[in-house]
Amino acid sequence: MLPPAALTGFAGEAAPSKWPRPRAAPRRELLDLGVEMLPRVGPSLARKLARLGLRTVRDVLEHRPHRYEEPVPERPIGDVPAEEEVAIAGVVRTVNVRRPRRRLALVEARVSDGTGEVKATWFNQAWLAEKLQPGTRVRLRGSLGRYGFTVKSYDLDGGGATADFAPVYPATEDLTPKRIRELVAAALDLAGEQWDPLPAALRVDEQLPSRSDALRALHQPAGLEEAETARKRLAFDELLVFQLGLARRRAGREAETASALGEPGEVVARYRALLPFTLTDGQERAIAEIDADLAKPKPMERLLQGDVGSGKTVVALYALLRAAEAGFRGALMAPTETLAEQHFLTVEPLCRQLGIPVGLLTSSVPARERAGALEARILVGTHALIQEDVDLSDLAVAVVDEQHRFGVEQRKAISGGRSKRPRRQSRHGLQTASQATPQPHVLHMTATPIPRTLALTVYGDLAVSEIAKLPANRKPIVTAWVTEERSSEAYKRLRKHLDDRRQAYVVCPLIDESETSLARAAEREAERLRNGELRGYRVGLLHGRLRPAERRDLMAQFKARELDVLVATTVIEVGVDVPNATIMIVQEADRFGLAQLHQLRGRVGRGAEQSYCLLVSRLGEELTDSARERLEAMVRTTDGFELAEVDLDIRGEGQLLGTRQAGLSDLRFTRLRADRDLIERARGTAEELVGEAGPLDDEVERFFADREPAA
Ligand code: ADP
Ligand code: MG
């Protein structure tokens, strides 16, 4: 590989200020068309696809398979070995549907190829019979067993489902991998030879295939090596775009100034004395690093990472108090209203004891009170409100909590079509900030820990503080996974904790995206539990449709032990902090994303007591591969870093039902650990290209715009 410097001025010439559009450019617009443009996609399918995050042709093309089928030999039907996966091809002779017992439908087709005939069997897909009319040509992949040739995947009159290395996409209940394959094939055809955002010379230097070739090979590889080469090209693209965004931000920040806050003062000293525990080494180190940053007249740009429950909030509040005691203001910015309220509930009582007024800024706070809140020294609110309403000139410290950027509320706002307001003060600083006003010191908090050296590589100049260890009194949470028919045992276990004066959470199934129907389902579930498994206990109900005051009262009651159990939707996943709660049941846990399960589990194990998390899933047969992988990972480890890696490997469905986390996990094709070299190269290339305007600009805009939280 050439050193990045060799890339300046492609082929030895000064780089043109605009790259010429490649000759085969015109198809780019096609990518932005909605999925409805693909054959046989109507409104209902489009909705299902939207739930997978697939809204445009481009989204479909960039939907990454999470694995590929093994290659299998094709055998003549007369010569199929027993119990071994093979492919056969032939013509349907007869077809019929049998229902040997309730809830079991067998489609049976006799298929022949001249060397012999075999009975092929499909389970519970009665609707297929119609398509398997005599004379239909089929290619089947499966194995010979008790029911004849049990079909695992099939193609009728062409198609790629039975091919060697057929891609396997994270499936959902109402969208089979087969259907997704068909859509991808249609999208590939439609997109054809596409626009390539990379300058040709760079592609040659980096020995990367064209983007069109890469996309085709991603979905229809001839072998695993080809698929991997394709993945790398796509990873390079996203890394380059990501790094370009960061580099541009750095360039824009060079001239910025911030208020230097001097030495820590009397308020934070009292704050430390007020805490009922001593800070961990990790917390102390983070605080020292923050203090050093705040003493400088340059804006701090620091990432604070630590697993769920590691005590980041304590550190964040320290930074906010430093602003307040120096006569400035601090703001804690949360991605959702619920999270902002939770933070407010944590922060406000402490600050009250310190005599520092705190204001809550969310859209459910009436305008009148909001004006009052704006007077406070420390503001807690959603990103959007703080960015819009707060005068930056006396804002000295901003803490940006990103652990849950794409929550239910955002997804709703996005799908509800509320447009994103253009914002001067973008989180990524892509727009040029005014350089006359001092900029706030910024602390980003994330609960997706990655190794520090890797974070430095990826985030560039962002400084990283890490709280590597949980407070010493913690015991790892014990996690168990049971299927529905054994849920009564889980509740028995939970009642035992309640009888020992402990408290518990029950998390309701995730049914769909609407906060209102979630709330209704949660109400029904709480009622059912009050009359069933939890009869005789004091059961509270927490969901996103409660008014803030109601929610606050409820949390106060739970904290005061006036309630034994909190039945809740995922609104409890962040911020809720009750150390006496030692057990949690997550119903239909298979529906949740991994990041979300990890966050949920973090609500217990917050004190010295041994805590438990019981994951109840639907029955084995009903689970998708990735659901199973997620649940197994949760049982295996409580390490957020390890889970983040697993999540990256099986992602897709995680995006659908779970949380889309910020930053690194926005990268779809990159494997953080394996791709270090690629990350370095993308970073070097970005440094070279940062001054140039060109087609990559649009990609940078898109990458960061898509990820801006819609408030
Ligand atoms: P995070 O935001 O990283 O998930 P929090 O800041 O919410 O974690 O802290 C989790 C819990 O641990 C809270 O109950 C907090 O009061 C407590 N905690 C924080 N720091 C310490 C410490 N040094 N020792 C004991 N408990 C702590
Ligand atoms: Mg927290």
Side-chain angles (χ1 to χ4, degrees):
M1 187 211 125
L2 292 171
L7 295 171
T8 2
F10 307 117
E13 283 181 54
S17 61
K18 280 259 179 219
W19 288 312
R21 297 266 169 193
R23 257 181 305 129
R27 295 201 162 254
R28 192 176 161 212
E29 295 68 32
L30 283 175
L31 299 181
D32 293 324
L33 294 177
V35 287
E36 297 85 353
M37 292 309 293
L38 297 172
R40 300 203 297 125
V41 179
S44 120
L45 183 54
R47 260 197 309 278
K48 289 176 191 169
L49 289 166
R51 260 182 263 147
L52 277 171
L54 307 178
R55 292 183 176 79
T56 62
V57 171
R58 178 181 177 131
D59 293 336
V60 174
L61 288 173
E62 293 177 1
H63 190 49
R64 181 167 78 87
H66 77 131
R67 65 181 177 85
Y68 298 90
E69 294 285 9
E70 297 289 312
V72 296
E74 184 170 318
R75 293 299 186 98
I77 290 176
D79 189 22
V80 173
E83 311 289 350
E84 186 186 311
E85 192 169 323
V86 297
I88 58 175
V91 175
V92 174
R93 297 294 167 209
T94 62
V95 63
N96 74 301
V97 183
R98 258 186 342 116
R99 299 181 186 277
R101 50 188 167 80
R102 227 162 60 83
R103 297 177 69 180
L104 179 63
L106 298 178
V107 175
E108 296 174 336
R110 302 211 64 89
V111 175
S112 70
D113 71 349
T115 70
E117 190 169 293
V118 73
K119 182 181 78 179
T121 306
W122 286 258
F123 290 87
N124 289 333
Q125 300 175 59
W127 50 270
L128 244 184
E130 229 171 277
K131 298 190 162 186
L132 291 168
Q133 288 313 305
T136 311
R137 292 206 61 81
V138 293
R139 188 172 195 268
L140 310 176
R141 190 172 162 146
S143 54
L144 203 53
R146 204 148 64 88
Y147 292 93
F149 191 85
T150 303
V151 177
K152 211 175 118 195
S153 55
Y154 62 92
D155 288 305
L156 312 179
D157 300 317
T162 61
D164 289 347
F165 308 107
V168 182
Y169 302 92
T172 65
E173 256 130 75
D174 44 22
L175 212 52
T176 63
K178 182 173 176 63
R179 192 73 187 90
I180 297 176
R181 277 188 202 117
E182 287 165 11
L183 286 166
V184 168
L188 284 169
D189 284 347
L190 181 70
E193 199 51 41
Q194 276 176 53
W195 172 78
D196 197 316
L198 288 192
L202 176 58
R203 224 167 65 209
V204 172
D205 287 343
E206 292 287 332
Q207 302 189 328
L208 296 167
S210 78
R211 191 170 168 90
S212 306
D213 288 350
L215 284 168
R216 193 165 282 279
L218 177 78
H219 297 291
Q220 301 174 350
L224 294 182
E225 222 167 287
E226 194 181 292
E228 176 63 6
T229 308
R231 182 193 68 77
K232 283 217 154 133
R233 154 75 213 241
L234 299 168
F236 186 82
D237 285 11
E238 67 184 4
L239 283 167
L240 179 59
V241 165
F242 184 57
Q243 293 292 344
L244 270 175
L246 296 185
R248 228 174 266 178
R249 176 176 67 169
R250 275 197 296 280
R253 290 180 61 92
E254 242 146 52
E256 284 179 6
T257 60
S259 310
L261 299 185
E263 295 288 305
E266 172 265 336
V267 174
V268 290
R270 279 195 288 136
Y271 171 59
R272 281 167 171 277
L274 205 62
L275 292 173
F277 41 72
T278 45
L279 297 174
T280 62
D281 291 350
Q283 287 170 320
E284 286 291 3
R285 209 173 314 114
I287 283 176
E289 287 162 348
I290 290 168
D291 279 337
D293 288 350
L294 297 183
K296 294 179 197 146
K298 286 217 134 288
M300 168 172 79
E301 186 73 15
R302 181 169 288 280
L303 177 71
L304 175 60
Q305 54 175 22
D307 208 342
V308 185
S310 60
K312 295 185 292 297
T313 315
V314 175
V315 174
L317 181 52
Y318 176 92
L320 295 169
L321 288 168
R322 293 265 352 242
E325 70 177 4
F328 296 95
R329 299 202 296 169
L332 175 51
M333 301 156 67
T336 66
E337 301 242 319
T338 311
L339 184 52
E341 281 161 15
Q342 300 289 4
H343 277 315
F344 180 75
L345 288 177
T346 315
V347 163
E348 201 274 336
L350 276 163
C351 289
R352 197 179 329 132
Q353 295 180 65
L354 296 167
I356 306 283
V358 183
L360 179 64
L361 264 190
T362 65
S363 60
S364 49
V365 175
R368 216 168 353 98
E369 289 175 35
R370 232 192 280 168
L374 276 169
E375 304 290 300
R377 293 276 93 192
I378 292 180
L379 295 162
V380 180
T382 51
H383 294 167
L385 277 177
I386 287 183
Q387 284 170 339
E388 272 164 29
D389 294 356
V390 178
D391 168 18
L392 289 182
S393 64
D394 71 343
L395 183 69
V397 174
V399 175
V400 183
D401 191 351
E402 296 186 316
Q403 59 188 331
H404 184 200
R405 226 174 354 146
F406 275 74
V408 173
E409 291 176 38
Q410 264 94 17
R411 284 207 306 270
K412 208 175 50 190
I414 292 164
S415 58
R418 274 169 57 182
S419 66
K420 288 169 226 144
R421 279 157 290 186
R423 230 173 276 134
R424 287 290 90 198
Q425 197 56 40
S426 154
R427 197 179 64 78
H428 299 280
L430 289 179
Q431 292 94 342
T432 43
S434 152
Q435 303 188 344
T437 13
Q439 297 297 307
H441 296 284
V442 180
L443 183 68
H444 300 269
M445 288 203 286
T446 168
T448 315
I450 57 166
R452 186 194 188 90
T453 51
L454 186 55
L456 289 174
T457 317
V458 178
Y459 287 120
D461 296 350
L462 196 67
V464 180
S465 293
E466 194 165 62
I467 308 179
K469 287 213 177 85
L470 300 183
N473 62 356
R474 302 293 166 73
K475 298 188 180 70
I477 300 160
V478 175
T479 304
W481 166 26
V482 296
T483 46
E484 252 161 25
E485 82 275 15
R486 292 177 50 203
S487 75
S488 64
E489 291 169 36
Y491 281 97
K492 202 162 144 197
R493 188 103 160 251
L494 182 134
R495 286 194 299 267
K496 186 146 185 329
H497 281 245
L498 302 183
D499 295 340
D500 290 344
R501 302 266 308 126
R502 304 261 161 233
Q503 290 163 285
Y505 301 106
V506 174
V507 180
C508 294
L510 197 57
I511 44 169
D512 65 19
E513 307 208 349
S514 137
E515 197 75 44
T516 307
S517 37
L518 264 177
R520 249 184 253 127
E523 270 161 20
R524 276 198 302 275
E525 183 57 18
E527 220 25 61
R528 191 187 71 75
L529 290 169
R530 281 183 187 123
N531 296 317
E533 283 95 334
L534 300 179
R535 184 197 290 276
Y537 295 95
R538 297 164 301 174
V539 177
L541 172 64
L542 179 67
H543 59 66
R545 276 286 160 265
L546 293 182
R547 281 194 300 276
E550 294 174 317
R551 210 179 300 171
R552 238 167 282 166
D553 288 348
L554 190 67
M555 284 315 300
Q557 279 181 7
F558 191 61
K559 276 194 183 171
R561 305 199 188 183
E562 289 160 19
L563 293 169
D564 301 306
V565 184
L566 212 50
V567 173
T569 59
T570 52
V571 297
I572 70 153
E573 104 187 49
V574 274
V576 171
D577 187 17
V578 179
N580 190 49
T582 52
I583 187 163
M584 159 179 289
I585 290 182
V586 183
Q587 299 180 334
E588 297 193 17
D590 48 300
R591 289 180 181 270
F592 293 90
L594 198 45
Q596 197 164 26
L597 286 172
H598 183 57
Q599 290 285 343
L600 285 169
R601 176 166 64 182
R603 296 313 106 204
V604 295
R606 306 203 132 227
E609 228 41 58
Q610 176 65 60
S611 291
Y612 298 84
C613 173
L614 309 178
L615 305 171
V616 179
S617 80
R618 287 172 293 173
L619 298 184
E621 306 85 75
E622 296 175 50
L623 295 183
T624 60
D625 284 354
S626 35
R628 198 184 308 271
E629 283 172 51
R630 290 196 300 268
L631 294 167
E632 282 166 359
M634 283 293 291
V635 173
R636 187 170 66 238
T637 182
T638 52
D639 177 353
F641 173 46
E642 198 179 328
L643 289 172
E645 290 262 310
V646 175
D647 198 24
L648 281 176
D649 277 347
I650 57 180
R651 228 143 54 84
E653 216 174 353
Q655 282 175 33
L656 192 208
L657 296 170
T659 307
R660 283 209 57 194
Q661 291 200 338
L664 289 181
S665 45
D666 286 337
L667 301 171
R668 300 182 184 198
F669 296 103
T670 307
R671 297 227 165 94
L672 289 179
R673 281 201 273 217
D675 289 344
R676 274 201 178 191
D677 175 51
L678 203 64
I679 296 170
E680 296 278 6
R681 274 153 55 197
R683 190 161 149 70
T685 309
E687 294 294 339
E688 296 301 321
L689 297 181
V690 69
E692 325 280 343
L696 276 167
D697 269 357
D698 302 349
E699 297 296 300
V700 174
E701 293 292 327
R702 173 200 291 275
F703 186 89
F704 287 97
D706 278 0
R707 282 151 182 86
E708 200 76 288

